[in-house]
Amino acid sequence: MRSKLSFVGIAVLVLASTFCAGSTAQVKLLLPLRPRLSLRGNERILIAPFVVVKEDTQNNRSASKVDIQAEFVQYLAKNIAKRTRLQVIRPSSDMRLPTQNLIVLGQSQEYWRALGTASGAEIIISGSLEFRVEDRAGYKREEYVSPLTGKTQYREVYVEQNGSTVYIVILAFNGRTGERIFKDAFKDFHQTESYKADDTRQLFDNLFSLDGQIMNLFVTRAREAQRYLLSP
Amino acid sequence: MPCLFVLSVPAYADNRTDNPKVQVAFGNKVARMNHWREAAFRYAQAAEKDSNYLAAHANLAVAYEALGNFEGALKEYKRALEIAPNDTKTRRNYTRFAEFYTSYTRTNGKAAPNAQ
């Protein structure tokens, strides 16, 4: 009996150790994403005007009450100054872009070189901005349990869904050569309840959602990931 | 009962630091506490002692990722997959890393003036 028990005990331990040897643990990593622009950290950076895109259709309208140009430049300048050692140069009131075509703007090397020379900026930021308030209201089919009969029925319900979309294209230029060194687009849709709709607040809801991605151009950002660690 | 206790003591009761398994076990312990530099050091030691040790290379890749050394992580993942191409956990880690690294290198901007 004793020998049988010790045999079973050893067998259990061998199985357990085999299981443990092949097991893994999951760990959470915070991947340090370097700033997407290769910067020394103390460059002079000019935030030039952006191309503002306005497009009205049946279900969406450009939020004409919001000066998206001014608000975004203010937001960007404030955050860069606060979180980096870059020296921010704001655009002068009479600064005008040579074109409203984003593709042509990205290729206007001479213009950006001249602007960089005139302002002393090593990096110039520009691009395009679009802010739309969207009405996605409509009928939706939902299940409904009748309190009288207890049967499940279906009914059409009118649902009001308002939201706002921000679409930002950021271009970065070398202030000395005028060469484009970066381009990327950022988009965010934020849903709101219709009675709370306020264009300015919706804009900031969108910007705060994109904050990590936009500021990752200039500062390090952490992104969460999970990995397996193999046991010895 | 005493014999069961002895048999249940973990592998790293062997305190020799030249034992790769001891190094990996210690590395895992400190990795769970987010001490990734120490963990990377331990895994690298283990990989040096036994160049065909899967856990050393696979875990070293994870540690390099955590430290932001993505080029090193790529190299270690490839080595780990050479050793054990069918290891599902390593392959899953590598797939997630490859997805991130592809996006990371694709969208990295060109160097700004005087940037190193």
Side-chain angles (χ1 to χ4, degrees):
Chain A
M1 185 64 180
R2 234 186 227 179
S3 61
K4 273 187 186 173
L5 279 174
S6 61
F7 174 75
V8 168
I10 289 167
V12 166
L13 280 168
V14 167
L15 282 171
S17 64
T18 309
F19 172 74
C20 291
S23 69
T24 54
Q26 224 172 358
V27 288
K28 212 174 270 187
L29 303 185
L30 283 176
L31 298 177
L33 301 180
R34 287 197 300 259
R36 296 173 71 187
L37 289 175
S38 298
L39 303 170
R40 281 194 320 273
N42 61 351
E43 285 91 337
R44 288 171 59 82
I45 180 166
L46 168 66
I47 303 177
F50 281 67
V51 172
V52 178
V53 177
K54 290 187 177 183
E55 197 179 300
D56 291 332
T57 62
Q58 189 181 1
N59 290 331
N60 70 67
R61 57 174 175 83
S62 296
S64 54
K65 290 178 188 172
V66 178
D67 184 352
I68 178 148
Q69 171 97 263
E71 297 296 345
F72 184 71
V73 168
Q74 163 72 8
Y75 155 83
L76 198 59
K78 191 176 87 170
N79 279 282
I80 292 174
K82 197 168 138 185
R83 300 193 218 177
T84 71
R85 287 176 298 147
L86 298 168
Q87 301 168 57
V88 179
I89 307 167
R90 301 236 196 158
S92 56
S93 53
D94 58 351
M95 193 183 290
R96 295 284 180 267
L97 293 174
T99 174
Q100 293 295 304
N101 184 313
L102 192 64
I103 295 170
V104 175
L105 191 68
Q107 294 165 349
S108 304
Q109 194 166 341
E110 278 307 312
Y111 170 77
W112 296 115
R113 190 168 60 81
L115 187 59
T117 305
S119 61
E122 294 169 83
I123 306 284
I124 303 171
I125 302 289
S126 183
S128 73
L129 300 168
E130 188 178 356
F131 177 55
R132 292 195 310 263
V133 176
E134 294 176 343
D135 174 15
R136 295 185 180 184
Y139 285 96
K140 185 182 160 188
R141 199 170 182 218
E142 69 171 24
E143 264 187 26
Y144 161 72
V145 177
S146 168
L148 295 174
T149 62
K151 286 184 184 174
T152 302
Q153 296 171 336
Y154 293 93
R155 62 183 179 185
E156 296 285 322
V157 176
Y158 184 73
V159 176
E160 274 197 51
Q161 277 185 356
N162 274 359
S164 59
T165 298
V166 144
Y167 187 72
I168 301 172
V169 176
I170 292 186
L171 305 173
F173 300 92
N174 181 323
R176 290 188 188 170
T177 63
E179 185 195 356
R180 194 189 76 199
I181 58 174
F182 179 87
K183 178 186 176 183
D184 203 359
F186 306 89
K187 187 176 179 181
D188 179 68
F189 170 74
H190 211 86
Q191 190 177 313
T192 54
E193 293 169 27
S194 59
Y195 67 90
K196 286 185 181 173
D198 172 79
D199 291 356
T200 308
R201 281 188 59 187
Q202 287 182 73
L203 169 64
F204 283 108
D205 278 339
N206 289 118
L207 286 181
F208 292 149
S209 296
L210 291 173
D211 183 74
Q213 293 177 59
I214 292 174
M215 291 311 296
N216 188 216
L217 266 66
F218 312 102
V219 298
T220 303
R221 177 186 166 205
R223 173 178 147 169
E224 219 174 73
Q226 286 198 327
R227 298 288 184 264
Y228 294 102
L229 282 181
L230 303 186
S231 297
Chain B
M1 282 308 165
C3 68
L4 291 177
F5 173 75
V6 166
L7 285 170
S8 69
V9 167
Y12 51 79
D14 180 347
N15 287 324
R16 290 179 299 169
T17 55
D18 58 351
N19 185 330
K21 289 190 177 183
V22 171
Q23 296 282 23
V24 168
F26 189 79
N28 286 358
K29 188 177 170 186
V30 295
R32 284 193 203 98
M33 295 188 283
N34 287 323
H35 297 318
W36 287 106
R37 282 194 196 280
E38 177 67 25
F41 173 73
R42 297 289 171 174
Y43 297 140
Q45 291 283 302
E48 208 177 315
K49 296 282 178 246
D50 181 356
S51 61
N52 290 322
Y53 189 16
L54 171 65
H57 288 285
N59 294 357
L60 181 56
V62 174
Y64 278 155
E65 255 194 281
L67 294 169
N69 179 0
F70 301 131
E71 292 79 16
L74 178 65
K75 187 179 153 201
E76 291 303 325
Y77 272 126
K78 287 190 170 174
R79 180 70 189 115
L81 288 171
E82 267 173 34
I83 296 167
N86 298 323
D87 185 77
T88 51
K89 298 292 188 247
T90 305
R91 188 149 284 283
R92 198 172 295 176
N93 278 354
Y94 175 67
T95 306
R96 295 283 78 81
F97 167 74
E99 180 192 348
F100 155 74
Y101 191 56
T102 305
S103 164
Y104 177 78
T105 50
R106 185 177 62 86
T107 55
N108 243 355
K110 289 185 192 173
N114 299 328
Q116 295 301 317

